[in-house]
Amino acid sequence: MKLFVYHTPEETPRDRVPDCAVVIDVLRATTTIVTALDAGAEAVQTFSDINLLLTTSEQWEVDKRLRLGERGGKQVPGCDLGNSPLDCTPEVVAGKRLFLSTTNGTRAFQRVEAAPTVVAATLANRQAVVNYLQAQTPETLWLVGSGWEGTYSLEDTVCAGAIALPLWEKFGDDILGNDQTVAAIALYQQWQNRLLDLFNLASHGQRLLGLNNTADLKCCAQIDTIDAVPLQIEKGVLSKH
Ligand code: MLT
């Protein structure tokens, strides 16, 4: 296994895809996806283009679908929900297809959708994803943070480090594919017992706090609480493994 961390989708090489790509958007798209699938959603279909989301979801029965849209941390008008994992209770999402478009996370999925295996990861399902990767041992593995509009974000890189650390401990130095992997591990080692404090410092954490999303930050800082491993079953569509 060779492991590469990319802080943003823009940082990933354009001329190839890995055997397995793990997309990370802790605040909040992949936390929402993991929570929704764990709560019984049929699947989550991701879109970078909100208009395409609206037209595609028209083809689904109204009571079998939910439209989730977020831009700049706020709910998109015309959508049923924004991008809060706290909205994704079994009562709300069970049996439904979720159509999701967010500022950065859904663009990250689009960037790696050609990879044979695409996984959605966040802190909540970190251990489940590590178990999956240790069992599958893909030859090339990318951990791709969603960042914020092309720039680095602390919460995605710390989660990449939380996934990379046990893989490094198991497989050794040979798996380290780039310098970002070592940096991500160091970030996690420094902050692993103070993840919420880190999120309070992070620029997108501060944006969400400014929008009164304190409870979302707390929820997204939980680690190893969910067993679901969302896998791409067709381009842009994730379902529970
Ligand atoms: C994103 O894709 O940038 C987000 O998940 C933003 C958010 O809803 O907090």
Side-chain angles (χ1 to χ4, degrees):
M1 187 191 298
K2 208 74 176 173
L3 164 57
F4 300 82
V5 169
Y6 297 105
H7 299 304
T8 64
E10 289 77 9
E11 233 184 41
T12 58
R14 291 276 147 190
D15 58 345
R16 57 190 180 277
V17 288
D19 298 305
C20 176
V22 175
V23 175
I24 301 168
D25 185 3
V26 178
L27 294 174
R28 297 166 290 174
T30 54
T31 308
T32 295
I33 292 169
V34 168
T35 305
L37 291 173
D38 189 54
E42 178 260 326
V44 181
Q45 188 159 353
T46 59
F47 295 82
S48 51
D49 180 345
I50 191 79
N51 292 319
L52 187 59
L53 178 155
L54 294 172
T55 51
T56 308
S57 57
E58 279 300 321
Q59 292 150 26
W60 285 69
E61 285 174 46
V62 176
D63 60 350
K64 293 264 165 55
R65 72 167 192 228
L66 278 173
R67 294 156 156 179
L68 283 71
E70 170 275 336
R71 288 294 179 272
K74 298 182 189 151
Q75 181 172 336
V76 174
C79 288
D80 304 303
L81 296 170
N83 182 27
S84 173
L86 294 171
D87 288 336
C88 296
T89 60
E91 296 72 28
V92 174
V93 303
K96 294 192 177 161
R97 176 158 297 208
L98 272 51
F99 295 85
L100 172 70
S101 180
T102 70
T103 312
N104 304 286
T106 51
R107 278 192 306 110
F109 280 104
Q110 196 174 36
R111 172 68 196 92
V112 296
E113 66 184 8
T117 303
V118 177
V119 180
T122 188
L123 288 170
N125 71 340
R126 184 283 297 247
Q127 189 59 55
V129 169
V130 168
N131 295 345
Y132 174 82
L133 295 171
Q134 286 182 342
Q136 300 296 317
T137 57
E139 210 162 296
T140 50
L141 170 62
W142 292 2
L143 306 183
V144 183
S146 300
W148 188 268
E149 295 180 339
T151 60
Y152 168 94
S153 49
L154 286 167
E155 64 276 10
D156 294 341
T157 297
V158 85
C159 182
I163 295 168
L165 176 61
L167 297 177
W168 178 44
E169 286 171 346
K170 183 173 168 92
F171 297 108
D173 290 350
D174 278 354
I175 71 156
L176 301 172
N178 62 3
D179 288 359
Q180 292 95 314
T181 305
V182 180
I185 291 171
L187 183 71
Y188 176 65
Q189 286 174 321
Q190 175 73 20
W191 288 92
Q192 58 187 313
N193 298 318
R194 291 190 298 142
L195 290 167
L196 183 56
D197 291 343
L198 181 66
F199 289 10
N200 283 325
L201 290 178
S203 55
H204 188 48
Q206 291 185 7
R207 183 178 295 107
L208 289 174
L209 289 173
L211 295 167
N212 294 320
N213 286 316
T214 310
D216 277 32
L217 246 65
K218 281 193 188 139
C219 165
C220 294
Q222 302 291 313
I223 187 163
D224 298 343
T225 50
I226 294 180
D227 278 335
V229 177
L231 296 181
Q232 180 176 261
I233 51 167
E234 59 186 84
K235 276 190 181 170
V237 181
L238 295 143
S239 172
K240 188 171 150 184
H241 170 65

